[in-house]
Amino acid sequence: MKPTESAGRETERGTGVSLGRAYYVLVLLTLVWALQFANIQIVNVVLEQIKNDFRVSDTAMGLIAGIVVTLLGSLLSMPVARLADRKGRLAIISIGVAFWSVLTALGGFAQNVLQLVLARIGFGVGGAVSPAPGNSLVSDFFPRDRLPMAMAIMSTAPCIGGLVAAWIGGIVGSTHWGWRGAFVAVAIPGFVVAALLYFTVREPVRGIQDGKHADVREYGVGETVRFFFENKTYLLVVIGFTFSGIADMALATWFVPFMQRVHRTSLLEASTFGGTLNSIAGIAGVLLGGAVIGHLGKRDDRWKIVGPGLTSLLAGPVLVVFLFAPLPWTYVGLFFAMVLLTFRMGPILGLVQSVVRIRMRAFAAATLFMVGTIVGSAAGPLLIGVLNDVLEGRYGQLAIRYSLLCVAASSMLGALFYLWAGRHVRADIRRSLAE
């Protein structure tokens, strides 16, 4: 039976956690999130194959790639996060990873659109366990001065997952196994990571990195929600993160079709070369954000959100370069756009853990991801799909180029809310530490 926090396997409060152990857990949690994203992204990589196989429109594919996967899972992430704030987080994550790995594999055997949709909904349900409980765990393994970088490392997960999906989807999808084989192949690593997390990691004491006077009281849902609404930094970050999520999901879903339609690249080139460049740039941006803001944040807490605001604002015009430049300059635009878009991840996730109280952390992260994911997944892929269908009569295959201008606009809107939050961040951090 998996031990809960009250069991004897827990580290005693005040003894600390070894840095080596902390990084081992961080690697596993990063892999969990990376594989979850790979299982999401695999649909986008082989989107054209699925569309042609089932003979559906871009609007339908936008739904399958977006809100179908995330709606129920995002809603369930709230009660799962409440459970994670009270019970053992490791067991919750491990079981969820194994569950969504099964559902991804089953999706590869779908014989019609309805069966695929049901499999993706099931995958989304399993995805409710990540990444919010994982964010909460990381905050108990790393001290505050190392948290921005730890969160930045964990935030490389979507980029790593995108890379995994790009190579598996590109290589397996280009064989006679097609998109179905790609679904099964991308699901397999999840079982290994779930087993390692369940059997080799112990649950830490909550608040062990916050000192012996840390507030580890349990708060009711009403009290927690009220605290969130009174926290201006948190509210503004959630709104900004939602606009950023629209940009992220739209670009992630339609990047490969964009390259295929506008630049006539093959699936293999778009997914492997383009996907690799995309992921390398994303990892560089996330790590750069963690390092830069980790340094500047020691001087002034406002940098923890102002920095992401500035880079998200700059990402807008760089994305326009990506969309309208010819090859190979489109790849240059993509690289720098991804660096700027992903710069925000580590600092923002670290900040969210710092502006709320200890027993609110998983719920705060879940709320952030739920709102950002539901709106981002619903509005991003679907909006581009609808615009593609609407503009196709005028622009033909190039319609996707103009539809994706929404990505630049959404990133810049998110930036404005991050910059606004910078006015309140220092007061909200002090309030989270008050007993």
Side-chain angles (χ1 to χ4, degrees):
M1 177 177 177
K2 185 71 175 175
T4 63
E5 289 184 324
S6 60
R9 289 181 64 188
E10 278 204 341
T11 306
E12 292 295 325
R13 179 179 295 279
T15 62
V17 179
S18 73
L19 205 55
R21 192 68 177 170
Y23 276 107
Y24 171 73
V25 175
L26 180 62
V27 168
L28 287 181
L29 292 173
T30 301
L31 287 174
V32 166
W33 192 7
L35 292 174
Q36 180 184 8
F37 196 81
N39 280 248
I40 293 172
Q41 188 75 358
I42 195 67
V43 174
N44 308 332
V45 175
V46 294
L47 185 146
E48 292 290 287
Q49 288 187 357
I50 298 173
K51 176 184 175 181
N52 294 332
D53 199 359
F54 292 139
R55 301 183 183 278
V56 293
S57 67
D58 274 0
T59 300
M61 289 308 304
L63 284 168
I64 293 171
I67 196 65
V68 162
V69 178
T70 57
L71 179 59
L72 186 56
S74 297
L75 293 174
L76 286 175
S77 68
M78 304 298 286
V80 168
R82 286 292 295 168
L83 183 64
D85 275 332
R86 297 166 179 265
K87 302 294 183 181
R89 294 161 286 189
L90 290 166
I92 292 171
I93 296 172
S94 302
I95 294 169
V97 172
F99 181 80
W100 55 246
S101 297
V102 170
L103 268 295
T104 294
L106 289 176
F109 295 94
Q111 297 302 304
N112 53 57
V113 172
L114 177 59
Q115 290 178 3
L116 179 61
V117 167
L118 291 175
R120 299 309 288 169
I121 290 174
F123 164 79
V125 171
V129 304
S130 177
N135 282 198
S136 176
L137 274 168
V138 170
S139 68
D140 285 332
F141 277 101
F142 289 88
R144 282 182 177 269
D145 61 337
R146 293 180 181 269
L147 191 57
M149 193 60 197
M151 286 297 186
I153 292 172
M154 189 175 178
S155 298
T156 62
C159 303
I160 296 170
L163 186 61
V164 171
W167 279 87
I168 291 178
I171 294 174
V172 180
S174 296
T175 68
H176 69 281
W177 295 105
W179 68 268
R180 299 180 185 278
F183 269 52
V184 174
V186 82
I188 293 173
F191 298 106
V192 178
V193 174
L196 287 173
L197 195 63
Y198 188 88
F199 291 110
T200 68
V201 180
R202 294 183 179 183
E203 185 88 25
V205 174
R206 294 180 195 269
I208 195 171
Q209 303 292 348
D210 296 87
K212 62 181 180 180
H213 298 297
D215 179 9
V216 294
R217 290 176 294 166
E218 292 187 5
Y219 293 89
V221 175
E223 194 174 5
T224 300
V225 172
R226 184 164 59 252
F227 183 90
F228 290 171
F229 273 100
E230 293 171 355
N231 191 314
K232 293 179 181 178
T233 300
Y234 182 74
L235 280 179
L236 291 169
V237 166
V238 169
I239 296 171
F241 198 79
T242 300
F243 280 109
S244 296
I246 293 172
D248 291 344
M249 291 302 297
L251 187 59
T253 300
W254 293 103
F255 165 69
V256 172
F258 168 80
M259 296 301 298
Q260 290 176 301
R261 297 178 191 182
V262 174
H263 296 290
R264 303 296 182 182
T265 59
S266 66
L267 169 62
L268 190 61
E269 178 185 341
S271 60
T272 55
F273 180 75
T276 300
L277 183 69
N278 197 338
S279 297
I280 290 173
I283 292 170
V286 169
L287 294 179
L288 184 64
V292 171
I293 301 304
H295 176 70
L296 295 177
K298 293 178 182 178
R299 302 179 183 179
D300 191 332
D301 285 323
R302 288 176 294 187
W303 278 112
K304 295 176 181 178
I305 192 62
V306 171
L310 292 174
T311 54
S312 296
L313 193 63
L314 288 171
V318 178
L319 280 163
V320 176
V321 173
F322 157 67
L323 292 173
F324 287 90
L327 285 174
W329 295 106
T330 188
Y331 285 125
V332 176
L334 171 68
F335 182 87
F336 287 105
M338 285 304 301
V339 170
L340 293 169
L341 283 171
T342 56
F343 184 96
R344 75 183 194 277
M345 291 299 295
I348 285 179
L349 296 182
L351 179 63
V352 165
Q353 299 297 299
S354 299
V355 297
V356 301
R357 291 177 176 158
I358 291 169
R359 291 279 183 172
M360 299 178 179
R361 286 175 174 171
F363 195 66
T367 303
L368 176 73
F369 283 112
M370 183 200 73
V371 177
T373 300
I374 286 180
V375 178
S377 297
L382 180 59
L383 175 62
I384 304 304
V386 170
L387 287 175
N388 288 347
D389 289 336
V390 170
L391 297 175
E392 185 177 14
R394 182 172 183 178
Y395 297 106
Q397 291 285 79
L398 297 180
I400 193 171
R401 167 179 278 169
Y402 299 95
S403 301
L404 284 172
L405 285 171
C406 295
V407 173
S410 190
S411 178
M412 296 176 76
L413 281 172
L416 299 180
F417 287 95
Y418 297 148
L419 295 172
W420 187 2
R423 301 177 57 185
H424 308 285
V425 65
R426 290 189 293 188
D428 286 328
I429 289 177
R430 288 195 298 269
R431 182 166 169 259
S432 73
L433 298 173
E435 294 188 33

